Amino acid sequence: MPYTLLKQFLKESLPQGKQSYISFEGTFSEVIDVPVSHEEGVILLMATVPHILPGFYDDIIKEVFPEGGNIPQLGGIRLESHRGFYPTGETVLYILAKDDIEKRLMLQNMFMPGHWFYKKNILYLSDVREGEPQMSGRLQLSQEVLHKIFYGEEVLPRFSSTFPAKEVFTAMDWDDLVLNQNSLKQIQNIALWNKHKDRLMNDWKMGRKIAPGYRALFYGPPGTGKTLTACLLGKELGKSVFRIDLSAVVSKYIGETEKNLEKIFVQAESKEWILLFDEADALFGKRIQARSSNDRYANQEVSYLLQRIESFNGLVILTSNFKNNIDDAFLRRFNNVVAFYKPGFEERLSLWQKNLPDNVKLEENVSLELLAKSYDITGAQILSVITYACLQALGNNSNCLLNEDILAGIELEYLKEEKHFKKV
């Protein structure tokens, strides 16, 4: 068992000057899907142990150092909830390098952004107070990696204050989306980029000249299909779409907004997720003239986002009701700006036809052409109206949608927007 081997390895490594020859290559290679070196295998096992054997390190320390005493070179900390010894980066340095400065520097490099530990969001060191050695941070594995190590299956991150993003998806298909041809063509360019990005960036050497990822802005009135289009793209490309909850991201504490977002970006890069910033005006709005410290911090957040999105190697989609609300510096960096207009007569008629359930019928005096011509509503509103009419029919034990119920549903949609409704 890996833990038995690790216990023997640590016992042989703890006394000064001894060297263990137990190998850990391959222990995690299949789980992580990356070739794992001896040192990397030891580090991963050391980080895993406290989650399943809380007294593991204390038992070893008592056996090797029965008289106890302070061992500063061993590092380690004790947490409020976890009462056992918790290894830190300093523990790794002592176990694997002792006083070998060159090897210590090599090991420290494993906790830098260039290493696959970081790139794949596998393992990192916890934050330390300003001025303290970075390696005094404790070893931390993401919960998703721990679950895969223990149970061999992938799990998605749980929505929380530290990961303010949720996966969104749709059961609809492209046939259910009604857009004008120009917008559809622009959306197809996104799929084209995803298909050929590796050849474009590497074989054709465009990676030296352009930013690595793809940035798209979808703008237009609510209910015109912006979020649905993002979900359909994810479905077609075989990628998860994660919608950022802006209310959970934005923090009153300086630097916390950037910190929360960075966790999402790192995870998304390692998993090739599509990031969706719905109603992005709150974070990506125009920068203002700094008249106070709050203004400066707001501008700082916008600047961070500008740089981070440009360096993100995947697909980022922003949605907004108004194009002019987005900061000009962002607009210049979008690969694609797609307009979502309110549907015209032809589009509305198609939406009425596509959204009607197959197993219902319409009252004889219902004219979809008249409804499409008379009422200027969006696709989301049409779907809401049909849902309302269907519920009324079900409540009457009928499968026939009545004209009066459809008109009542339209009136409700008009009331939401405080618009005058006129029955035709």
Side-chain angles (χ1 to χ4, degrees):
M1 291 291 292
Y3 300 124
T4 304
L5 289 176
L6 180 63
K7 188 171 185 178
Q8 181 185 345
F9 177 83
L10 294 177
K11 285 170 63 176
E12 294 180 6
S13 301
L14 277 172
Q16 187 72 22
K18 278 202 174 184
Q19 177 64 48
S20 175
Y21 295 97
I22 297 173
S23 174
F24 289 92
E25 289 92 334
T27 304
F28 286 94
S29 295
E30 291 184 8
V31 177
I32 306 298
D33 197 27
V34 169
V36 178
S37 70
H38 170 78
E39 290 81 6
E40 291 164 346
V42 172
I43 294 170
L44 288 167
L45 268 175
M46 288 176 67
T48 304
V49 165
H51 296 274
I52 195 167
L53 298 169
F56 183 85
Y57 290 103
D58 287 303
D59 291 343
I60 297 173
I61 293 170
K62 287 176 184 177
E63 188 174 341
V64 178
F65 300 101
E67 298 180 2
N70 187 27
I71 316 169
Q73 65 268 35
L74 187 59
I77 58 174
R78 296 186 186 277
L79 306 174
E80 291 183 11
S81 301
H82 180 84
R83 303 296 296 277
F85 178 96
Y86 209 110
T88 62
E90 292 170 343
T91 314
V92 170
L93 296 182
Y94 178 69
I95 295 298
L96 290 174
K98 297 292 190 295
D99 295 326
D100 187 333
I101 300 298
E102 186 175 341
K103 191 166 186 179
R104 278 175 167 260
L105 291 173
M106 181 272 290
L107 290 168
Q108 288 192 48
N109 198 47
M110 291 184 180
F111 299 96
M112 299 299 174
H115 193 270
W116 60 264
F117 278 166
Y118 181 90
K119 288 182 176 179
K120 288 185 168 289
N121 196 41
I122 302 293
L123 180 144
Y124 55 96
L125 295 176
S126 65
D127 294 334
V128 296
R129 293 178 181 175
E130 188 174 354
E132 291 184 352
Q134 179 196 7
M135 298 302 286
S136 60
R138 72 180 185 273
L139 301 181
Q140 286 191 259
L141 284 165
S142 70
Q143 290 300 315
E144 297 75 44
V145 172
L146 279 170
H147 189 91
K148 190 171 182 181
I149 290 171
F150 292 150
Y151 305 108
E153 61 183 12
E154 297 273 3
V155 293
L156 294 174
R158 183 173 58 87
F159 178 83
S160 66
S161 59
T162 59
F163 191 84
K166 295 179 182 178
E167 186 180 17
V168 291
F169 44 83
T170 182
M172 293 186 178
D173 296 312
W174 286 111
D175 288 341
D176 299 305
L177 183 68
V178 178
L179 292 177
N180 64 66
Q181 289 302 311
N182 185 51
S183 297
L184 282 173
K185 186 174 181 180
Q186 287 179 275
I187 292 164
Q188 289 166 0
N189 286 335
I190 300 175
L192 199 61
W193 167 82
N194 183 79
K195 181 178 181 180
H196 299 291
K197 61 179 180 178
D198 291 335
R199 289 189 63 196
L200 177 71
M201 303 299 281
N202 301 320
D203 297 350
W204 289 19
K205 309 297 183 185
M206 290 297 288
R208 298 183 295 111
K209 302 175 182 179
I210 60 176
Y214 197 95
R215 294 151 292 282
L217 171 66
F218 295 170
Y219 74 92
T224 50
K226 300 185 293 293
T227 303
L228 172 60
T229 299
C231 293
L232 289 173
L233 277 169
K235 195 173 181 181
E236 178 182 339
L237 304 177
K239 298 180 184 295
S240 297
V241 180
F242 275 78
R243 179 166 55 194
I244 315 302
D245 186 333
L246 298 182
S247 63
V249 168
V250 178
S251 172
K252 64 181 179 180
Y253 298 108
I254 300 170
E256 282 298 308
T257 298
E258 294 91 326
K259 186 177 178 181
N260 291 342
L261 283 169
E262 182 62 23
K263 291 177 182 176
I264 299 172
F265 277 114
V266 170
Q267 185 86 318
E269 284 179 325
S270 66
K271 302 290 187 179
E272 295 190 355
W273 292 336
I274 297 172
L275 290 184
L276 172 64
F277 289 86
D278 240 348
E279 300 180 7
D281 314 54
L283 272 179
F284 299 85
K286 292 181 180 291
R287 282 172 282 194
I288 57 179
Q289 184 177 350
R291 293 187 175 89
S292 67
S293 59
N294 287 339
D295 292 342
R296 287 195 297 273
Y297 297 139
N299 288 342
Q300 179 180 314
E301 289 174 355
V302 175
S303 297
Y304 160 78
L305 285 165
L306 176 62
Q307 297 168 14
R308 192 59 183 89
I309 283 185
E310 193 164 21
S311 66
F312 182 66
N313 62 14
L315 172 58
V316 178
I317 297 173
L318 278 65
T319 73
S320 173
N321 293 339
F322 301 101
K323 176 183 174 183
N324 291 337
N325 286 353
I326 303 297
D327 190 278
D328 292 339
F330 278 115
L331 284 175
R332 289 195 299 271
R333 288 165 170 81
F334 282 117
N335 302 88
N336 210 334
V337 177
V338 185
F340 286 71
Y341 301 105
K342 289 192 74 171
F345 166 72
E346 295 291 343
E347 288 87 4
R348 288 196 296 270
L349 178 57
S350 178
L351 286 163
W352 279 108
Q353 294 168 340
K354 287 176 179 289
N355 283 304
L356 284 172
D358 294 334
N359 55 340
V360 303
K361 58 183 180 180
L362 296 173
E363 190 179 16
E364 288 183 1
N365 61 339
V366 173
S367 169
L368 296 182
E369 289 81 1
L370 181 60
L371 293 173
K373 181 180 179 180
S374 304
Y375 299 107
D376 182 17
I377 55 179
T378 66
Q381 290 174 312
I382 289 172
L383 181 59
S384 182
V385 170
I386 291 174
T387 302
Y388 174 85
C390 287
L391 287 173
Q392 303 309 308
L394 288 168
N396 294 322
N397 293 317
S398 170
N399 69 337
C400 179
L401 303 190
L402 303 180
N403 190 58
E404 63 179 283
D405 290 335
I406 293 174
L407 292 176
I410 296 173
E411 184 175 10
L412 286 174
E413 294 304 313
Y414 271 59
L415 288 173
K416 291 177 187 177
E417 299 182 347
E418 298 183 353
K419 291 168 59 177
H420 175 69
F421 173 76
K422 183 179 179 181
K423 187 180 294 188
V424 296

